[in-house]
Amino acid sequence: MMGRRHFSIAWQLPLVALALFSAGGCSAPIKTATTSQQPSNFSEAARLKRVVVLKFDAGRGNPGNWRSQSGHDITPELEAQLAGVLINGQPYFTVVERARMNEALKEMRLAESGALDATTASRLGKMVAANGVYMGSVTQDMATDERYSELRRNCAQYKQEKDSKGRTYDGACQRWVDSQVGCVKRSATFAFTPRLVDVERGTIAYTKAITKTVSASGCSDRGQQMPNADERRSRARQQALQEFRRDIAPYSNRVEIALMNS
């Protein structure tokens, strides 16, 4: 069963911040920052700590877009994300070595794929002593350019004025000229659907469709350099991985607190 867990968090303020509560006077509010430990968004996913990651299926983008590529193989980044989760300085997950998983796949006469059903994935997990198996697919991975125009209004003629010393300068605008300039909005979207199989139960403990889009715009008259399409796709992918990280394990959250004076 998937579920979300909610409970209150006890704030732990630095001692120097606590001392400020006793300060008198009518000074402006003082702010301090602290870090709180948040529970994972899906408690069932956080419970399965020894995991194996199967290769995710790579989907394809829409061929009608400016740039469309085969889905990015996110598997190594997912493994690195899981292995890099630290709680109190200690690894939270144990990721089963890929060589051991490949041996189990050969023994089961299966090809590595995110298309395995929950029962087969459960059998694989038991063979490598894992209690969770991640699999899934990349459903979108592309960058697009959208061209548009913006209105510019420029002064074509200024009223000529003279200062007290007889020097001429431009005064108020007497005639305006409107023009359109070409602009480009570059967007990248990355979407994937991870699924986590509970090995013991043979059921799906966590699944979610995660989609992230990032974009940037630039116009020809402003000399702006458009971000590289691959850089946009990479950023969208990292944002999707960050959401996945918050779903499956506890995480730290930085909070700014305004302290009251006497």
Side-chain angles (χ1 to χ4, degrees):
M1 294 291 294
M2 294 182 288
R4 294 176 180 264
R5 181 174 54 190
H6 301 277
F7 54 84
S8 61
I9 299 170
W11 300 105
Q12 296 184 354
L13 301 178
L15 292 178
V16 65
L18 293 175
L20 293 173
F21 280 104
S22 61
C26 298
S27 58
I30 300 173
K31 295 183 178 181
T32 187
T34 187
T35 300
S36 65
Q37 189 79 358
Q38 302 283 353
S40 65
N41 294 331
F42 292 82
S43 58
E44 285 298 299
R47 181 179 61 83
L48 305 174
K49 297 182 180 180
R50 181 174 172 84
V51 297
V52 62
V53 182
L54 296 178
K55 185 175 181 179
F56 274 48
D57 288 338
R60 294 183 179 272
N62 183 351
N65 284 301
W66 172 83
R67 186 182 182 118
S68 177
Q69 296 188 353
S70 298
H72 181 83
D73 182 8
I74 200 173
T75 313
E77 292 171 81
L78 276 172
E79 289 181 325
Q81 186 76 258
L82 290 163
V85 176
L86 300 177
I87 303 298
N88 297 325
Q90 299 298 318
Y92 188 80
F93 294 107
T94 299
V95 180
V96 175
E97 300 84 353
R98 181 155 293 274
R100 186 173 180 183
M101 183 192 68
N102 288 337
E103 289 179 5
L105 286 168
K106 287 181 181 179
E107 188 173 336
M108 295 174 65
R109 297 182 180 180
L110 294 172
E112 183 183 358
S113 169
L116 299 180
D117 59 30
T119 302
T120 306
S122 178
R123 286 174 52 208
L124 173 65
K126 290 175 181 178
M127 291 182 68
V128 296
N131 53 27
V133 176
Y134 278 100
M135 56 187 183
S137 59
V138 174
T139 55
Q140 213 171 357
D141 179 23
M142 59 187 178
T144 61
D145 278 359
E146 177 187 347
R147 301 190 179 278
Y148 64 100
S149 62
E150 287 186 0
L151 177 67
R152 297 286 187 268
R153 169 163 286 191
N154 298 301
C155 184
Q157 183 179 348
Y158 292 93
K159 182 180 180 181
Q160 297 300 301
E161 304 278 8
K162 289 187 177 182
D163 61 17
S164 59
K165 295 183 179 181
R167 293 174 296 191
T168 302
Y169 67 93
D170 291 339
C173 184
Q174 293 183 313
R175 184 166 64 89
W176 295 89
V177 174
D178 292 341
S179 62
Q180 298 284 337
V181 298
C183 304
V184 177
K185 179 180 179 181
R186 178 163 292 169
S187 301
T189 298
F190 185 85
F192 77 118
T193 303
R195 296 188 296 277
L196 174 61
V197 175
D198 184 324
V199 170
E200 182 180 353
R201 300 175 183 175
T203 57
I204 302 295
Y206 161 76
T207 184
K208 183 179 180 182
I210 300 175
T211 302
K212 294 296 179 182
T213 298
V214 296
S215 60
S217 299
C219 297
S220 58
D221 65 331
R222 293 176 178 171
Q224 296 169 310
Q225 185 175 0
M226 288 297 298
N228 181 275
D230 288 337
E231 184 273 335
R232 295 282 92 185
R233 291 170 65 230
S234 176
R235 180 168 294 189
R237 188 166 66 251
Q238 291 307 312
Q239 289 187 7
L241 284 169
Q242 289 170 10
E243 181 170 332
F244 168 77
R245 161 68 178 84
R246 291 189 294 269
D247 281 350
I248 52 88
Y251 60 95
S252 297
N253 187 35
R254 181 179 168 83
V255 180
E256 191 176 73
I257 303 171
L259 306 180
M260 297 174 62
N261 58 28
S262 59

